[in-house]
Amino acid sequence: MKNITLLTLLLLVSNINVYAQNRTIANITKFNVKNSGAISDGENDVDGYYFFYEVDKLENKEREYAIQILDKNLNDVATKSMISKKRTVLIGKGFNGDQLTFALFNKLDKKIEIVSFDKQANNLTPIQLPVSPGEFRRLASQSKARPLNLLLPVDNKGFLLKRLLTGKKSGYAMQYFPTNGGKKWEFHSDKTSQETLDISTIAINEKVVVLLEKSQRYASSAKMSLRTIVLEIDTGNLLFTRDYDELDPRLITNAFITKEDQIVFLGQYYKPKAKLAKAESLGLYTEVYHMDGTLSYENKLSWKDHISKKVAIKKGSKTKDYGYIYFHEIVRMGNDGYYAIGEQYSKKADAAGIALGVLAAAGGGATAGGFTKLTITDAIVFKFDNKFDLIDVEIFEKGKSNIPNVFDFGSPQMNAHMVKALGGFDYAYTQIDKENNRFYANFIDYERLKGEQNKLAFKTIIHDEGELSSDKIYLEEGKTNFFPLPAKIGYVLLMEYDKEKKEISIHTEKLNIE
């Protein structure tokens, strides 16, 4: 017998106060916090929330799943039930202003299913996509290792789905599915390439998508090359590419599209012929391109000659006291310039990992990885003018977090990218308040306090009238498993999944912001 049905779920939520700012979703058989999120725009202005979870185990290897949608005040919009084979995995989700879309990978049926809902939570016609044996192996392996998000919304137009292809080596495809009557298209890597190719989306708007292609002889190679690819959203036409060869090696970390329709790339530059997976960078660089691929301007800031005047720099790209810098977000604040929001980190030996590795080796087990860790420390904000000359650097104190590295080889910078993909940093999200010309950059901070119990805090760096400040709220005493989501400006939504009770508890908390 089913533990719970769709009708039961609807009866449960109908009895909750419509003005509630807290909710409990019960009778959940299986849930991953990554299978939830805010329905929001590019500034994280929140319209609602979604939750995807397993409800019940049925006969014939089937499972009942639920997709629950709440409004921004945590009132129920809809709960949709679906029956699928077991081992169904959510590999993508997104809201594009017109519809909420989920990409589901079924390991038994060997297919991808696209399930969508309109703003009124009405079911739209699903899309069935067959999966080749090679793509199946890659999807099964990657979805087991970490939560995937291979689907990206295109505001008011459609969505993009990344496919994992195989040929002579691993490759990729990017498929576009319009939701406004446009044209469907596909862009894919060279299937005859002797290199292993992968792609990530680093910027997107209603006009273009900017992709970063990584090319390696094999997955763990220290030698790699990067290429940026800019495609037109409506047609899939290639607008331009930019290659970074061994004579001009660069590691791209961020990109965004300005209101003037220019594409900005931010990253680190290196000595000629440097291996990106091992070398120390020389500094930060910025490139600004027009949509036709012509370079508008570029700027280089060396650690030694420029950045060291604002913050103490040690060897290479290391700050003196804290280590390296990983930038999560770049925010433009009108005539006030740009702000790059990041965290400082260092790569260190992991005593616990080494001890476990020794035990595993003694017992004949695998010992790859786990001997090193990233220690994540303070938040840091770089302020640039409109030509990306550095104006100031501010550091905001934060507690340490230790995250095991995926691989022990390679530079700290490359390991940081892997840790970021797994959600290992303390950074949560940034919200932009256009009405008040503010932004709020948010972090989870585990404070280790002398003489008293350690505390978990939600820390916010606030930009207001050209100045930066910080504030925080302490979370519930003794709780260390909260997961934050954006809420309406001035609030945060905190979610906690209780495996024993099989329920999600969510509530909003007001930040200490006027």
Side-chain angles (χ1 to χ4, degrees), residues 429 431 440-442 458-462 471-473 475 487-494 508-514:
Y429 59 88
Q431 279 184 300
Y440 310 95
N442 302 296
F458 186 80
K459 186 166 189 171
T460 301
I461 297 173
I462 309 156
D471 211 334
K472 62 187 173 186
I473 57 172
L475 306 180
K488 58 186 178 181
I489 296 295
Y491 290 80
V492 59
L493 183 134
L494 298 170
T508 56
E509 289 215 19
K510 190 177 187 309
L511 303 175
N512 299 323
I513 299 169
E514 296 299 329

Side-chain angles (χ1 to χ4, degrees), residues 31 51 80 107 122 149 155 254 257 277 284 353 373 404 424 459 477:
F31 178 70
F51 302 88
K80 300 293 182 177
K107 296 181 182 180
N122 298 312
N149 190 12
D155 285 350
N254 303 83
I257 304 161
L284 300 178
K373 62 184 178 182
K459 186 166 189 171
E477 197 75 24

Side-chain angles (χ1 to χ4, degrees), residues 233-500:
I233 284 292
D234 288 333
T235 64
N237 290 340
L238 178 65
L239 297 181
F240 72 91
T241 64
R242 164 74 159 96
D243 289 288
Y244 301 87
D245 57 30
E246 63 177 6
L247 296 179
D248 185 23
R250 303 190 184 195
L251 178 63
I252 299 166
T253 55
N254 303 83
F256 61 97
I257 304 161
T258 71
K259 60 183 179 182
E260 295 85 11
D261 285 338
Q262 292 185 324
I263 302 172
V264 180
F265 297 101
L266 176 69
Q268 300 178 41
Y269 67 96
Y270 297 76
K271 291 180 180 179
K273 298 186 178 182
K275 294 182 178 180
L276 297 184
K278 292 183 177 181
E280 296 269 5
S281 71
L282 298 178
L284 300 178
Y285 81 91
T286 308
E287 291 177 328
V288 182
Y289 285 90
H290 297 291
M291 289 294 183
D292 62 1
T294 58
L295 180 66
S296 176
Y297 63 89
E298 69 173 332
N299 196 7
K300 287 184 177 181
L301 299 170
S302 77
W303 298 110
K304 179 181 178 181
D305 298 328
H306 300 101
I307 300 173
S308 63
K309 295 178 181 180
K310 303 294 182 181
V311 61
I313 298 295
K314 202 176 179 182
K315 181 183 177 181
S317 56
K318 297 176 71 173
T319 55
K320 183 176 181 181
D321 297 322
Y322 302 98
Y324 301 88
I325 301 169
Y326 188 93
F327 291 112
H328 299 286
E329 190 77 57
I330 301 175
V331 178
R332 185 179 185 182
M333 299 304 295
N335 294 327
D336 195 37
Y338 297 89
Y339 292 83
I341 302 159
E343 286 180 89
Q344 297 175 309
Y345 67 92
S346 58
K347 181 182 176 183
K348 298 181 178 180
D350 187 352
I354 293 171
L356 289 174
V358 171
L359 291 173
T367 60
F371 293 165
T372 62
K373 62 184 178 182
L374 286 190
T375 297
I376 300 161
T377 54
D378 293 342
I380 189 166
V381 180
F382 279 46
K383 181 180 179 180
F384 303 99
D385 65 16
N386 286 310
K387 289 292 184 180
F388 283 93
D389 285 318
L390 184 63
I391 297 175
D392 199 9
V393 177
E394 292 193 48
I395 297 174
F396 296 86
E397 187 176 350
K398 188 165 58 65
K400 293 182 180 180
S401 298
N402 293 308
I403 309 297
N405 282 317
V406 179
F407 300 108
D408 293 317
F409 61 83
S411 69
Q413 295 98 319
M414 295 306 300
N415 271 286
H417 281 278
M418 298 177 192
V419 168
K420 173 66 175 179
L422 296 173
F425 280 89
D426 295 332
Y427 173 79
Y429 59 88
T430 295
Q431 279 184 300
I432 300 174
D433 181 358
K434 289 185 175 180
E435 182 177 345
N436 295 302
N437 195 35
R438 295 175 177 172
F439 72 73
Y440 310 95
N442 302 296
F443 301 79
I444 291 293
D445 184 9
Y446 189 64
E447 297 185 356
R448 292 168 173 82
L449 305 173
K450 291 183 179 180
E452 58 181 299
Q453 185 175 355
N454 296 335
K455 293 182 179 180
L456 189 70
F458 186 80
K459 186 166 189 171
T460 301
I461 297 173
I462 309 156
H463 168 276
D464 186 20
E465 297 182 352
E467 300 294 329
L468 293 174
S469 62
S470 67
D471 211 334
K472 62 187 173 186
I473 57 172
Y474 286 112
L475 306 180
E476 187 176 338
E477 197 75 24
K479 295 286 187 180
T480 59
N481 55 347
F482 280 110
F483 185 78
L485 290 173
K488 58 186 178 181
I489 296 295
Y491 290 80
V492 59
L493 183 134
L494 298 170
M495 175 178 64
E496 183 181 9
Y497 177 56
D498 191 318
K499 291 183 179 181
E500 293 184 0

Side-chain angles (χ1 to χ4, degrees), residues 71-293:
D71 68 16
K72 61 184 177 183
N73 295 315
L74 307 187
N75 301 315
D76 186 66
V77 175
T79 302
K80 300 293 182 177
S81 179
M82 58 176 288
I83 306 299
S84 185
K85 296 288 180 63
K86 73 174 184 178
R87 299 174 69 194
T88 293
V89 180
L90 182 65
I91 60 170
K93 72 275 186 183
F95 177 70
N96 73 348
D98 290 326
Q99 67 182 50
L100 178 63
T101 301
F102 298 89
L104 306 171
F105 168 52
N106 189 283
K107 296 181 182 180
L108 292 182
D109 288 344
K110 297 184 179 180
K111 66 179 181 181
I112 295 173
E113 184 175 18
I114 307 297
V115 179
S116 300
F117 306 91
D118 63 18
K119 290 181 179 179
Q120 289 73 42
N122 298 312
N123 292 75
L124 302 174
T125 303
I127 300 172
Q128 306 285 339
L129 301 172
V131 173
S132 69
E135 184 176 19
F136 171 81
R137 288 191 296 271
R138 294 186 66 194
L139 276 173
S141 173
Q142 292 190 20
S143 62
K144 185 178 180 180
R146 65 183 189 273
L148 299 178
N149 190 12
L150 305 182
L151 185 141
L152 291 166
V154 182
D155 285 350
N156 304 308
K157 282 196 171 184
F159 57 89
L160 290 161
L161 180 67
K162 176 183 172 181
R163 305 296 297 271
L164 307 177
L165 305 183
T166 55
K168 290 183 177 298
K169 292 273 189 164
S170 296
Y172 64 86
M174 188 65 75
Q175 293 180 318
Y176 175 66
F177 297 87
T179 59
N180 65 345
K183 173 186 174 183
K184 179 181 175 182
W185 53 261
E186 178 177 319
F187 178 85
H188 58 79
S189 59
D190 181 1
K191 297 178 181 179
T192 65
S193 175
Q194 298 295 321
E195 301 283 312
T196 294
L197 302 173
D198 197 12
I199 201 87
S200 59
T201 301
I202 53 177
I204 187 171
N205 69 1
E206 72 281 359
K207 294 181 180 180
V208 298
V209 56
V210 184
L211 307 174
L212 177 63
E213 182 186 77
K214 180 176 68 173
S215 175
Q216 294 172 282
R217 179 65 64 180
Y218 49 91
S220 59
S221 174
K223 184 178 180 180
M224 69 177 68
S225 59
L226 297 176
R227 178 167 73 130
T228 52
I229 300 170
V230 181
L231 305 176
E232 189 176 43
I233 284 292
D234 288 333
T235 64
N237 290 340
L238 178 65
L239 297 181
F240 72 91
T241 64
R242 164 74 159 96
D243 289 288
Y244 301 87
D245 57 30
E246 63 177 6
L247 296 179
D248 185 23
R250 303 190 184 195
L251 178 63
I252 299 166
T253 55
N254 303 83
F256 61 97
I257 304 161
T258 71
K259 60 183 179 182
E260 295 85 11
D261 285 338
Q262 292 185 324
I263 302 172
V264 180
F265 297 101
L266 176 69
Q268 300 178 41
Y269 67 96
Y270 297 76
K271 291 180 180 179
K273 298 186 178 182
K275 294 182 178 180
L276 297 184
K278 292 183 177 181
E280 296 269 5
S281 71
L282 298 178
L284 300 178
Y285 81 91
T286 308
E287 291 177 328
V288 182
Y289 285 90
H290 297 291
M291 289 294 183
D292 62 1

